[in-house]
mmCIF file with all atom_site columns, all heavy atoms in Angstrom:
data_model
loop_
_atom_site.group_PDB
_atom_site.id
_atom_site.type_symbol
_atom_site.label_atom_id
_atom_site.label_alt_id
_atom_site.label_comp_id
_atom_site.label_asym_id
_atom_site.label_entity_id
_atom_site.label_seq_id
_atom_site.pdbx_PDB_ins_code
_atom_site.Cartn_x
_atom_site.Cartn_y
_atom_site.Cartn_z
_atom_site.occupancy
_atom_site.B_iso_or_equiv
_atom_site.pdbx_formal_charge
_atom_site.auth_seq_id
_atom_site.auth_comp_id
_atom_site.auth_asym_id
_atom_site.auth_atom_id
_atom_site.pdbx_PDB_model_num
ATOM 1   N N   . VAL A 1 158 ? 9.954  0.108  2.580   1.00 0.00 ? 158 VAL A N   1
ATOM 2   C CA  . VAL A 1 158 ? 9.996  1.530  2.241   1.00 0.00 ? 158 VAL A CA  1
ATOM 3   C C   . VAL A 1 158 ? 8.607  2.014  1.825   1.00 0.00 ? 158 VAL A C   1
ATOM 4   O O   . VAL A 1 158 ? 8.146  3.084  2.245   1.00 0.00 ? 158 VAL A O   1
ATOM 5   C CB  . VAL A 1 158 ? 11.020 1.786  1.119   1.00 0.00 ? 158 VAL A CB  1
ATOM 6   C CG1 . VAL A 1 158 ? 10.979 3.252  0.677   1.00 0.00 ? 158 VAL A CG1 1
ATOM 7   C CG2 . VAL A 1 158 ? 12.422 1.428  1.589   1.00 0.00 ? 158 VAL A CG2 1
ATOM 8   N N   . LEU A 1 159 ? 7.932  1.215  0.995   1.00 0.00 ? 159 LEU A N   1
ATOM 9   C CA  . LEU A 1 159 ? 6.583  1.576  0.566   1.00 0.00 ? 159 LEU A CA  1
ATOM 10  C C   . LEU A 1 159 ? 5.612  1.565  1.740   1.00 0.00 ? 159 LEU A C   1
ATOM 11  O O   . LEU A 1 159 ? 4.739  2.442  1.847   1.00 0.00 ? 159 LEU A O   1
ATOM 12  C CB  . LEU A 1 159 ? 6.118  0.603  -0.527  1.00 0.00 ? 159 LEU A CB  1
ATOM 13  C CG  . LEU A 1 159 ? 4.743  0.865  -1.149  1.00 0.00 ? 159 LEU A CG  1
ATOM 14  C CD1 . LEU A 1 159 ? 4.688  2.255  -1.765  1.00 0.00 ? 159 LEU A CD1 1
ATOM 15  C CD2 . LEU A 1 159 ? 4.427  -0.199 -2.199  1.00 0.00 ? 159 LEU A CD2 1
ATOM 16  N N   . TYR A 1 160 ? 5.767  0.602  2.629   1.00 0.00 ? 160 TYR A N   1
ATOM 17  C CA  . TYR A 1 160 ? 4.923  0.507  3.827   1.00 0.00 ? 160 TYR A CA  1
ATOM 18  C C   . TYR A 1 160 ? 5.085  1.749  4.702   1.00 0.00 ? 160 TYR A C   1
ATOM 19  O O   . TYR A 1 160 ? 4.094  2.360  5.133   1.00 0.00 ? 160 TYR A O   1
ATOM 20  C CB  . TYR A 1 160 ? 5.306  -0.756 4.604   1.00 0.00 ? 160 TYR A CB  1
ATOM 21  C CG  . TYR A 1 160 ? 4.539  -0.981 5.881   1.00 0.00 ? 160 TYR A CG  1
ATOM 22  C CD1 . TYR A 1 160 ? 3.305  -1.634 5.872   1.00 0.00 ? 160 TYR A CD1 1
ATOM 23  C CD2 . TYR A 1 160 ? 5.051  -0.557 7.112   1.00 0.00 ? 160 TYR A CD2 1
ATOM 24  C CE1 . TYR A 1 160 ? 2.612  -1.851 7.049   1.00 0.00 ? 160 TYR A CE1 1
ATOM 25  C CE2 . TYR A 1 160 ? 4.363  -0.767 8.291   1.00 0.00 ? 160 TYR A CE2 1
ATOM 26  C CZ  . TYR A 1 160 ? 3.142  -1.420 8.258   1.00 0.00 ? 160 TYR A CZ  1
ATOM 27  O OH  . TYR A 1 160 ? 2.465  -1.625 9.430   1.00 0.00 ? 160 TYR A OH  1
ATOM 28  N N   . ASP A 1 161 ? 6.323  2.145  4.951   1.00 0.00 ? 161 ASP A N   1
ATOM 29  C CA  . ASP A 1 161 ? 6.574  3.338  5.772   1.00 0.00 ? 161 ASP A CA  1
ATOM 30  C C   . ASP A 1 161 ? 6.066  4.601  5.082   1.00 0.00 ? 161 ASP A C   1
ATOM 31  O O   . ASP A 1 161 ? 5.544  5.518  5.741   1.00 0.00 ? 161 ASP A O   1
ATOM 32  C CB  . ASP A 1 161 ? 8.072  3.471  6.065   1.00 0.00 ? 161 ASP A CB  1
ATOM 33  C CG  . ASP A 1 161 ? 8.582  2.363  6.973   1.00 0.00 ? 161 ASP A CG  1
ATOM 34  O OD1 . ASP A 1 161 ? 7.769  1.789  7.715   1.00 0.00 ? 161 ASP A OD1 1
ATOM 35  O OD2 . ASP A 1 161 ? 9.797  2.069  6.950   1.00 0.00 ? 161 ASP A OD2 1
ATOM 36  N N   . ALA A 1 162 ? 6.222  4.667  3.744   1.00 0.00 ? 162 ALA A N   1
ATOM 37  C CA  . ALA A 1 162 ? 5.761  5.837  3.005   1.00 0.00 ? 162 ALA A CA  1
ATOM 38  C C   . ALA A 1 162 ? 4.242  5.976  3.070   1.00 0.00 ? 162 ALA A C   1
ATOM 39  O O   . ALA A 1 162 ? 3.705  7.088  3.179   1.00 0.00 ? 162 ALA A O   1
ATOM 40  C CB  . ALA A 1 162 ? 6.223  5.756  1.554   1.00 0.00 ? 162 ALA A CB  1
ATOM 41  N N   . ILE A 1 163 ? 3.542  4.844  3.018   1.00 0.00 ? 163 ILE A N   1
ATOM 42  C CA  . ILE A 1 163 ? 2.076  4.881  3.131   1.00 0.00 ? 163 ILE A CA  1
ATOM 43  C C   . ILE A 1 163 ? 1.659  5.342  4.517   1.00 0.00 ? 163 ILE A C   1
ATOM 44  O O   . ILE A 1 163 ? 0.753  6.172  4.671   1.00 0.00 ? 163 ILE A O   1
ATOM 45  C CB  . ILE A 1 163 ? 1.490  3.489  2.810   1.00 0.00 ? 163 ILE A CB  1
ATOM 46  C CG1 . ILE A 1 163 ? 1.737  3.143  1.341   1.00 0.00 ? 163 ILE A CG1 1
ATOM 47  C CG2 . ILE A 1 163 ? 0.001  3.447  3.121   1.00 0.00 ? 163 ILE A CG2 1
ATOM 48  C CD1 . ILE A 1 163 ? 1.343  1.734  0.969   1.00 0.00 ? 163 ILE A CD1 1
ATOM 49  N N   . ILE A 1 164 ? 2.336  4.813  5.548   1.00 0.00 ? 164 ILE A N   1
ATOM 50  C CA  . ILE A 1 164 ? 2.012  5.196  6.929   1.00 0.00 ? 164 ILE A CA  1
ATOM 51  C C   . ILE A 1 164 ? 2.264  6.695  7.149   1.00 0.00 ? 164 ILE A C   1
ATOM 52  O O   . ILE A 1 164 ? 1.460  7.385  7.792   1.00 0.00 ? 164 ILE A O   1
ATOM 53  C CB  . ILE A 1 164 ? 2.847  4.363  7.922   1.00 0.00 ? 164 ILE A CB  1
ATOM 54  C CG1 . ILE A 1 164 ? 2.485  2.874  7.816   1.00 0.00 ? 164 ILE A CG1 1
ATOM 55  C CG2 . ILE A 1 164 ? 2.626  4.861  9.349   1.00 0.00 ? 164 ILE A CG2 1
ATOM 56  C CD1 . ILE A 1 164 ? 1.052  2.546  8.142   1.00 0.00 ? 164 ILE A CD1 1
ATOM 57  N N   . LYS A 1 165 ? 3.351  7.222  6.588   1.00 0.00 ? 165 LYS A N   1
ATOM 58  C CA  . LYS A 1 165 ? 3.720  8.625  6.788   1.00 0.00 ? 165 LYS A CA  1
ATOM 59  C C   . LYS A 1 165 ? 3.041  9.570  5.796   1.00 0.00 ? 165 LYS A C   1
ATOM 60  O O   . LYS A 1 165 ? 3.184  10.788 5.914   1.00 0.00 ? 165 LYS A O   1
ATOM 61  C CB  . LYS A 1 165 ? 5.241  8.789  6.690   1.00 0.00 ? 165 LYS A CB  1
ATOM 62  C CG  . LYS A 1 165 ? 6.012  8.020  7.758   1.00 0.00 ? 165 LYS A CG  1
ATOM 63  C CD  . LYS A 1 165 ? 7.516  8.135  7.539   1.00 0.00 ? 165 LYS A CD  1
ATOM 64  C CE  . LYS A 1 165 ? 8.290  7.331  8.576   1.00 0.00 ? 165 LYS A CE  1
ATOM 65  N NZ  . LYS A 1 165 ? 9.764  7.402  8.348   1.00 0.00 ? 165 LYS A NZ  1
ATOM 66  N N   . GLY A 1 166 ? 2.353  9.018  4.808   1.00 0.00 ? 166 GLY A N   1
ATOM 67  C CA  . GLY A 1 166 ? 1.673  9.854  3.831   1.00 0.00 ? 166 GLY A CA  1
ATOM 68  C C   . GLY A 1 166 ? 2.599  10.515 2.837   1.00 0.00 ? 166 GLY A C   1
ATOM 69  O O   . GLY A 1 166 ? 2.290  11.602 2.320   1.00 0.00 ? 166 GLY A O   1
ATOM 70  N N   . GLU A 1 167 ? 3.731  9.885  2.514   1.00 0.00 ? 167 GLU A N   1
ATOM 71  C CA  . GLU A 1 167 ? 4.680  10.445 1.552   1.00 0.00 ? 167 GLU A CA  1
ATOM 72  C C   . GLU A 1 167 ? 4.243  10.051 0.133   1.00 0.00 ? 167 GLU A C   1
ATOM 73  O O   . GLU A 1 167 ? 4.683  9.041  -0.415  1.00 0.00 ? 167 GLU A O   1
ATOM 74  C CB  . GLU A 1 167 ? 6.087  9.944  1.853   1.00 0.00 ? 167 GLU A CB  1
ATOM 75  C CG  . GLU A 1 167 ? 6.597  10.366 3.234   1.00 0.00 ? 167 GLU A CG  1
ATOM 76  C CD  . GLU A 1 167 ? 7.951  9.769  3.554   1.00 0.00 ? 167 GLU A CD  1
ATOM 77  O OE1 . GLU A 1 167 ? 8.440  8.939  2.754   1.00 0.00 ? 167 GLU A OE1 1
ATOM 78  O OE2 . GLU A 1 167 ? 8.518  10.113 4.608   1.00 0.00 ? 167 GLU A OE2 1
ATOM 79  N N   . ILE A 1 168 ? 3.391  10.854 -0.464  1.00 0.00 ? 168 ILE A N   1
ATOM 80  C CA  . ILE A 1 168 ? 2.777  10.538 -1.749  1.00 0.00 ? 168 ILE A CA  1
ATOM 81  C C   . ILE A 1 168 ? 3.797  10.379 -2.878  1.00 0.00 ? 168 ILE A C   1
ATOM 82  O O   . ILE A 1 168 ? 3.711  9.419  -3.663  1.00 0.00 ? 168 ILE A O   1
ATOM 83  C CB  . ILE A 1 168 ? 1.734  11.612 -2.122  1.00 0.00 ? 168 ILE A CB  1
ATOM 84  C CG1 . ILE A 1 168 ? 0.681  11.737 -0.999  1.00 0.00 ? 168 ILE A CG1 1
ATOM 85  C CG2 . ILE A 1 168 ? 1.049  11.249 -3.440  1.00 0.00 ? 168 ILE A CG2 1
ATOM 86  C CD1 . ILE A 1 168 ? -0.050 10.460 -0.702  1.00 0.00 ? 168 ILE A CD1 1
ATOM 87  N N   . PRO A 1 169 ? 4.796  11.284 -3.044  1.00 0.00 ? 169 PRO A N   1
ATOM 88  C CA  . PRO A 1 169 ? 5.774  11.100 -4.135  1.00 0.00 ? 169 PRO A CA  1
ATOM 89  C C   . PRO A 1 169 ? 6.513  9.764  -4.067  1.00 0.00 ? 169 PRO A C   1
ATOM 90  O O   . PRO A 1 169 ? 6.751  9.117  -5.088  1.00 0.00 ? 169 PRO A O   1
ATOM 91  C CB  . PRO A 1 169 ? 6.734  12.277 -3.956  1.00 0.00 ? 169 PRO A CB  1
ATOM 92  C CG  . PRO A 1 169 ? 5.924  13.311 -3.250  1.00 0.00 ? 169 PRO A CG  1
ATOM 93  C CD  . PRO A 1 169 ? 5.044  12.545 -2.325  1.00 0.00 ? 169 PRO A CD  1
ATOM 94  N N   . THR A 1 170 ? 6.866  9.350  -2.847  1.00 0.00 ? 170 THR A N   1
ATOM 95  C CA  . THR A 1 170 ? 7.552  8.063  -2.688  1.00 0.00 ? 170 THR A CA  1
ATOM 96  C C   . THR A 1 170 ? 6.641  6.904  -3.076  1.00 0.00 ? 170 THR A C   1
ATOM 97  O O   . THR A 1 170 ? 7.064  5.965  -3.759  1.00 0.00 ? 170 THR A O   1
ATOM 98  C CB  . THR A 1 170 ? 8.030  7.886  -1.240  1.00 0.00 ? 170 THR A CB  1
ATOM 99  O OG1 . THR A 1 170 ? 8.859  8.993  -0.872  1.00 0.00 ? 170 THR A OG1 1
ATOM 100 C CG2 . THR A 1 170 ? 8.813  6.596  -1.074  1.00 0.00 ? 170 THR A CG2 1
ATOM 101 N N   . VAL A 1 171 ? 5.395  6.982  -2.654  1.00 0.00 ? 171 VAL A N   1
ATOM 102 C CA  . VAL A 1 171 ? 4.434  5.920  -2.980  1.00 0.00 ? 171 VAL A CA  1
ATOM 103 C C   . VAL A 1 171 ? 4.239  5.823  -4.491  1.00 0.00 ? 171 VAL A C   1
ATOM 104 O O   . VAL A 1 171 ? 4.278  4.724  -5.064  1.00 0.00 ? 171 VAL A O   1
ATOM 105 C CB  . VAL A 1 171 ? 3.084  6.186  -2.280  1.00 0.00 ? 171 VAL A CB  1
ATOM 106 C CG1 . VAL A 1 171 ? 2.038  5.160  -2.734  1.00 0.00 ? 171 VAL A CG1 1
ATOM 107 C CG2 . VAL A 1 171 ? 3.245  6.137  -0.774  1.00 0.00 ? 171 VAL A CG2 1
ATOM 108 N N   . VAL A 1 172 ? 4.044  6.966  -5.156  1.00 0.00 ? 172 VAL A N   1
ATOM 109 C CA  . VAL A 1 172 ? 3.837  6.967  -6.604  1.00 0.00 ? 172 VAL A CA  1
ATOM 110 C C   . VAL A 1 172 ? 5.060  6.417  -7.330  1.00 0.00 ? 172 VAL A C   1
ATOM 111 O O   . VAL A 1 172 ? 4.947  5.630  -8.283  1.00 0.00 ? 172 VAL A O   1
ATOM 112 C CB  . VAL A 1 172 ? 3.515  8.392  -7.101  1.00 0.00 ? 172 VAL A CB  1
ATOM 113 C CG1 . VAL A 1 172 ? 3.472  8.429  -8.626  1.00 0.00 ? 172 VAL A CG1 1
ATOM 114 C CG2 . VAL A 1 172 ? 2.191  8.862  -6.521  1.00 0.00 ? 172 VAL A CG2 1
ATOM 115 N N   . SER A 1 173 ? 6.263  6.780  -6.880  1.00 0.00 ? 173 SER A N   1
ATOM 116 C CA  . SER A 1 173 ? 7.497  6.320  -7.524  1.00 0.00 ? 173 SER A CA  1
ATOM 117 C C   . SER A 1 173 ? 7.640  4.806  -7.423  1.00 0.00 ? 173 SER A C   1
ATOM 118 O O   . SER A 1 173 ? 7.936  4.121  -8.412  1.00 0.00 ? 173 SER A O   1
ATOM 119 C CB  . SER A 1 173 ? 8.708  7.009  -6.891  1.00 0.00 ? 173 SER A CB  1
ATOM 120 O OG  . SER A 1 173 ? 8.625  8.407  -7.036  1.00 0.00 ? 173 SER A OG  1
ATOM 121 N N   . PHE A 1 174 ? 7.427  4.267  -6.231  1.00 0.00 ? 174 PHE A N   1
ATOM 122 C CA  . PHE A 1 174 ? 7.599  2.835  -6.040  1.00 0.00 ? 174 PHE A CA  1
ATOM 123 C C   . PHE A 1 174 ? 6.500  2.045  -6.735  1.00 0.00 ? 174 PHE A C   1
ATOM 124 O O   . PHE A 1 174 ? 6.754  0.954  -7.262  1.00 0.00 ? 174 PHE A O   1
ATOM 125 C CB  . PHE A 1 174 ? 7.648  2.500  -4.547  1.00 0.00 ? 174 PHE A CB  1
ATOM 126 C CG  . PHE A 1 174 ? 9.015  2.628  -3.950  1.00 0.00 ? 174 PHE A CG  1
ATOM 127 C CD1 . PHE A 1 174 ? 9.401  3.788  -3.307  1.00 0.00 ? 174 PHE A CD1 1
ATOM 128 C CD2 . PHE A 1 174 ? 9.927  1.600  -4.048  1.00 0.00 ? 174 PHE A CD2 1
ATOM 129 C CE1 . PHE A 1 174 ? 10.664 3.918  -2.763  1.00 0.00 ? 174 PHE A CE1 1
ATOM 130 C CE2 . PHE A 1 174 ? 11.193 1.708  -3.505  1.00 0.00 ? 174 PHE A CE2 1
ATOM 131 C CZ  . PHE A 1 174 ? 11.566 2.878  -2.863  1.00 0.00 ? 174 PHE A CZ  1
ATOM 132 N N   . VAL A 1 175 ? 5.281  2.556  -6.743  1.00 0.00 ? 175 VAL A N   1
ATOM 133 C CA  . VAL A 1 175 ? 4.192  1.872  -7.449  1.00 0.00 ? 175 VAL A CA  1
ATOM 134 C C   . VAL A 1 175 ? 4.495  1.814  -8.945  1.00 0.00 ? 175 VAL A C   1
ATOM 135 O O   . VAL A 1 175 ? 4.234  0.798  -9.610  1.00 0.00 ? 175 VAL A O   1
ATOM 136 C CB  . VAL A 1 175 ? 2.851  2.580  -7.185  1.00 0.00 ? 175 VAL A CB  1
ATOM 137 C CG1 . VAL A 1 175 ? 1.771  2.054  -8.130  1.00 0.00 ? 175 VAL A CG1 1
ATOM 138 C CG2 . VAL A 1 175 ? 2.411  2.369  -5.744  1.00 0.00 ? 175 VAL A CG2 1
ATOM 139 N N   . THR A 1 176 ? 5.079  2.888  -9.490  1.00 0.00 ? 176 THR A N   1
ATOM 140 C CA  . THR A 1 176 ? 5.463  2.893  -10.907 1.00 0.00 ? 176 THR A CA  1
ATOM 141 C C   . THR A 1 176 ? 6.521  1.836  -11.188 1.00 0.00 ? 176 THR A C   1
ATOM 142 O O   . THR A 1 176 ? 6.439  1.091  -12.175 1.00 0.00 ? 176 THR A O   1
ATOM 143 C CB  . THR A 1 176 ? 5.997  4.278  -11.311 1.00 0.00 ? 176 THR A CB  1
ATOM 144 O OG1 . THR A 1 176 ? 5.001  5.270  -11.041 1.00 0.00 ? 176 THR A OG1 1
ATOM 145 C CG2 . THR A 1 176 ? 6.356  4.313  -12.791 1.00 0.00 ? 176 THR A CG2 1
ATOM 146 N N   . ILE A 1 177 ? 7.529  1.741  -10.323 1.00 0.00 ? 177 ILE A N   1
ATOM 147 C CA  . ILE A 1 177 ? 8.590  0.742  -10.496 1.00 0.00 ? 177 ILE A CA  1
ATOM 148 C C   . ILE A 1 177 ? 8.018  -0.671 -10.417 1.00 0.00 ? 177 ILE A C   1
ATOM 149 O O   . ILE A 1 177 ? 8.346  -1.541 -11.232 1.00 0.00 ? 177 ILE A O   1
ATOM 150 C CB  . ILE A 1 177 ? 9.679  0.939  -9.426  1.00 0.00 ? 177 ILE A CB  1
ATOM 151 C CG1 . ILE A 1 177 ? 10.405 2.274  -9.641  1.00 0.00 ? 177 ILE A CG1 1
ATOM 152 C CG2 . ILE A 1 177 ? 10.682 -0.220 -9.456  1.00 0.00 ? 177 ILE A CG2 1
ATOM 153 C CD1 . ILE A 1 177 ? 11.369 2.633  -8.535  1.00 0.00 ? 177 ILE A CD1 1
ATOM 154 N N   . LEU A 1 178 ? 7.149  -0.914 -9.453  1.00 0.00 ? 178 LEU A N   1
ATOM 155 C CA  . LEU A 1 178 ? 6.562  -2.237 -9.294  1.00 0.00 ? 178 LEU A CA  1
ATOM 156 C C   . LEU A 1 178 ? 5.655  -2.583 -10.466 1.00 0.00 ? 178 LEU A C   1
ATOM 157 O O   . LEU A 1 178 ? 5.556  -3.753 -10.854 1.00 0.00 ? 178 LEU A O   1
ATOM 158 C CB  . LEU A 1 178 ? 5.773  -2.294 -7.980  1.00 0.00 ? 178 LEU A CB  1
ATOM 159 C CG  . LEU A 1 178 ? 6.620  -2.151 -6.705  1.00 0.00 ? 178 LEU A CG  1
ATOM 160 C CD1 . LEU A 1 178 ? 5.729  -2.117 -5.476  1.00 0.00 ? 178 LEU A CD1 1
ATOM 161 C CD2 . LEU A 1 178 ? 7.630  -3.291 -6.596  1.00 0.00 ? 178 LEU A CD2 1
ATOM 162 N N   . THR A 1 179 ? 4.990  -1.587 -11.046 1.00 0.00 ? 179 THR A N   1
ATOM 163 C CA  . THR A 1 179 ? 4.160  -1.828 -12.225 1.00 0.00 ? 179 THR A CA  1
ATOM 164 C C   . THR A 1 179 ? 5.009  -2.271 -13.415 1.00 0.00 ? 179 THR A C   1
ATOM 165 O O   . THR A 1 179 ? 4.646  -3.198 -14.155 1.00 0.00 ? 179 THR A O   1
ATOM 166 C CB  . THR A 1 179 ? 3.374  -0.561 -12.597 1.00 0.00 ? 179 THR A CB  1
ATOM 167 O OG1 . THR A 1 179 ? 2.562  -0.160 -11.487 1.00 0.00 ? 179 THR A OG1 1
ATOM 168 C CG2 . THR A 1 179 ? 2.484  -0.803 -13.808 1.00 0.00 ? 179 THR A CG2 1
#
Side-chain angles (χ1 to χ4, degrees):
V158 175
L159 183 58
Y160 179 86
D161 292 336
I163 294 173
I164 296 299
K165 298 176 182 178
E167 298 176 354
I168 304 302
T170 304
V171 174
V172 173
S173 300
F174 274 95
V175 169
T176 303
I177 294 173
L178 295 176
T179 302

